[in-house]
Amino acid sequence: MIYITKKVEFCAGHRLVSPAWSPEKNREAFGPCASQGGHGHNYVLEVTVRGEINADTGMLVNLRQLKQVLEREIIERLDHRDLNADPVIL
């Protein structure tokens, strides 16, 4: 059994707020994180693939294909997005 881990990084913003609360209560509970503009984070995602080496290719997984999947499914959907406001479908 072999493991390969691929790491990708992206930036995204969000706002901590409860829609059921008043702006004052949100500020009291979440402080600056409840501000209208929100705040951002740098995220790191590590994906680990486990399996047996393919006898024909000598690889566990095609790393180029894995990178393409992570770009399409994670980076393109989340990088530089407002996670509260942008329509993100996962």
Side-chain angles (χ1 to χ4, degrees):
M1 188 73 55
I2 189 167
Y3 297 82
I4 293 177
T5 300
K6 175 70 176 159
K7 179 170 73 170
V8 294
E9 299 179 15
F10 62 95
C11 302
H14 71 110
R15 180 177 177 220
L16 295 177
V17 63
S18 171
W21 293 352
S22 70
E24 294 77 23
K25 186 170 182 179
N26 276 299
R27 274 193 302 277
E28 182 181 313
F30 301 118
C33 296
S35 69
Q36 189 64 33
H39 64 283
H41 297 278
N42 296 323
Y43 294 92
V44 177
L45 172 69
E46 292 183 355
V47 174
T48 301
V49 179
R50 176 184 76 165
E52 300 296 331
I53 299 293
N54 181 302
D56 293 331
T57 65
M59 298 186 299
L60 169 61
V61 64
N62 183 313
L63 293 177
R64 181 179 297 141
Q65 289 176 334
L66 179 59
K67 181 179 179 180
Q68 290 171 344
V69 168
L70 292 173
E71 283 286 329
R72 181 182 67 241
E73 299 298 328
I74 303 301
I75 304 302
E76 289 178 14
R77 292 180 183 200
L78 299 176
D79 195 33
H80 291 92
R81 301 290 180 136
D82 178 339
L83 300 178
N84 293 100
D86 289 349
V88 178
I89 300 170
L90 295 177

